[in-house]
Amino acid sequence: MKLFFIGDIFGEKGKEAIQKELSNIIKKNKIDLVIANAENCTNGRSLSISDYEFLLKWGIQYFTFGNHTWYLDEIKEVLKNKNTIRPANLKPLSEESKYGVGSLEFTYKNKKIRITNLLGNTVFCHEIQTNPFTKLDEILNIDNSDIHIVDFHAETTSEKNAFLQYFASKVSAILGTHTHIQSADERIYKNTAYITDVGMTGPSEGVIGANPKTIIKMFRGESERFRLSPDISNYQLNGVIIEFDDLTNKPIKIKRIFIRELEGV
């Protein structure tokens, strides 16, 4: 089985990249299952109903999220769909925990697949998250899957690497998201496919996808905050293809995908 995981889809340029590139990637690489992090899809924050339907139309089968999940109120409707997985490690009494699921097991091509989405301790999320290490421990106690994919939405490389060291061999893949910068450390470690950050699918010349102006002002000390307003430069598409052995269900290959507009696959 071959799985394609797409890094954070960001704004209109991210959607354009999916529309123009995804079908060719699926065909060329004989992809069986497509998963994407879509927490930044709608104007840089959250996922609207119409954008959910758009991404579904162009080939994305399952959706993960992150700290920007709940920016739009209509995400509550999106999360009713059985192919959406929001962060699992939310405080039980938080409003956000009332909608959707954080870990999903389903059968696909005679394989039991589980997708789990977690927020790192290093992500600022209004203090609604619990510890991702202990939460995944809990999930593993009930996990009966053949293949278990974890989207770990975390800020620091150290937390993501620590996560790998602790959960290596316990899950099939740990795929870092959130920083929007694709790392070059993809590997299979103790039967777990890993990359520190899958990267971003969106504008290629902004600051992690956003228009640079307000972000530069913040770093110059001219403002306290920046607006995550999507840039309009040429798109890029970031992702990883993971191949699993059909007999053992163990990952045997992980390959980075980095496409820039007009450059082709």
Side-chain angles (χ1 to χ4, degrees):
M1 176 177 283
K2 283 187 178 181
L3 179 152
F4 185 39
F5 186 97
I6 302 168
D8 304 38
I9 300 171
F10 195 99
E12 293 299 313
K13 300 303 289 190
K15 289 161 55 183
E16 182 182 350
I18 296 299
Q19 182 177 357
K20 292 184 177 178
E21 304 288 351
L22 182 54
S23 61
N24 188 44
I25 294 171
I26 293 171
K27 182 178 179 180
K28 179 180 178 180
N29 296 282
K30 298 180 180 179
I31 301 297
D32 296 295
L33 184 64
V34 180
I35 307 167
N37 186 297
E39 69 135 6
N40 295 129
C41 184
T42 303
N43 297 317
R45 290 184 175 91
S46 195
L47 181 65
S48 68
I49 294 169
S50 61
D51 282 347
Y52 163 79
E53 293 172 347
F54 176 91
L55 296 176
L56 199 63
K57 172 185 173 181
W58 288 104
I60 297 173
Q61 294 157 282
Y62 288 86
F63 301 81
T64 57
F65 297 90
N67 54 305
H68 290 120
T69 303
W70 303 276
Y71 186 78
L72 297 177
D73 193 59
E74 58 189 292
I75 192 65
K76 297 172 185 177
E77 292 299 315
V78 173
L79 291 176
K80 290 180 180 179
N81 293 287
K82 294 183 178 181
N83 60 349
T84 59
I85 306 98
R86 49 85 172 151
N89 56 321
L90 301 177
K91 291 181 178 179
L93 297 180
S94 67
E95 179 68 17
E96 291 83 356
S97 69
K98 298 177 182 179
Y99 307 98
V101 298
S103 189
L104 177 69
E105 188 171 294
F106 56 94
T107 301
Y108 187 78
K109 293 193 173 183
N110 298 317
K111 300 289 185 182
K112 286 190 286 187
I113 312 288
R114 178 178 288 274
I115 302 171
T116 297
N117 191 189
L118 293 162
L119 289 170
N121 289 308
T122 53
V123 173
F124 175 74
C125 197
H126 305 291
E127 298 182 349
I128 63 168
Q129 73 262 51
T130 60
N131 190 285
F133 287 79
T134 55
K135 184 61 181 182
L136 187 52
D137 278 335
E138 293 174 13
I139 292 169
L140 289 175
N141 286 333
I142 61 167
D143 180 31
N144 294 307
S145 63
D146 299 310
I147 296 171
H148 188 172
I149 308 299
V150 178
D151 175 348
F152 189 38
H153 202 76
E155 188 78 45
T156 65
T157 56
S158 58
E159 186 177 13
K160 292 175 181 179
N161 276 259
F163 204 77
L164 170 66
Q165 291 297 325
Y166 183 77
F167 288 108
S169 78
K170 299 177 184 178
V171 297
S172 306
I174 296 171
L175 307 176
T177 58
H178 180 65
T179 73
H180 292 198
I181 304 297
Q182 189 181 73
S183 55
D185 62 340
E186 74 282 3
R187 63 192 186 276
I188 296 172
Y189 177 71
K190 295 183 179 179
N191 294 316
T192 296
Y194 174 80
I195 187 168
T196 297
D197 204 283
V198 178
M200 177 200 65
T201 297
S204 61
E205 301 301 333
V207 177
I208 61 170
N211 185 309
K213 291 182 179 179
T214 60
I215 297 178
I216 290 170
K217 284 184 178 180
M218 185 195 72
F219 283 123
R220 283 179 55 85
E222 297 168 3
S223 65
E224 293 183 1
R225 299 185 64 184
F226 62 82
R227 290 184 296 107
L228 205 63
S229 176
D231 195 43
I232 57 172
S233 54
N234 286 357
Y235 67 70
Q236 66 180 42
L237 189 151
N238 287 180
V240 289
I241 296 172
I242 307 172
E243 184 175 352
F244 296 91
D245 186 287
D246 286 332
L247 294 178
T248 66
N249 299 318
K250 294 178 180 178
I252 53 177
K253 291 181 183 178
I254 179 170
K255 175 185 176 183
R256 275 184 295 127
I257 299 295
F258 193 123
I259 298 170
R260 287 186 185 274
E261 189 172 359
L262 304 179
E263 290 185 348
V265 177

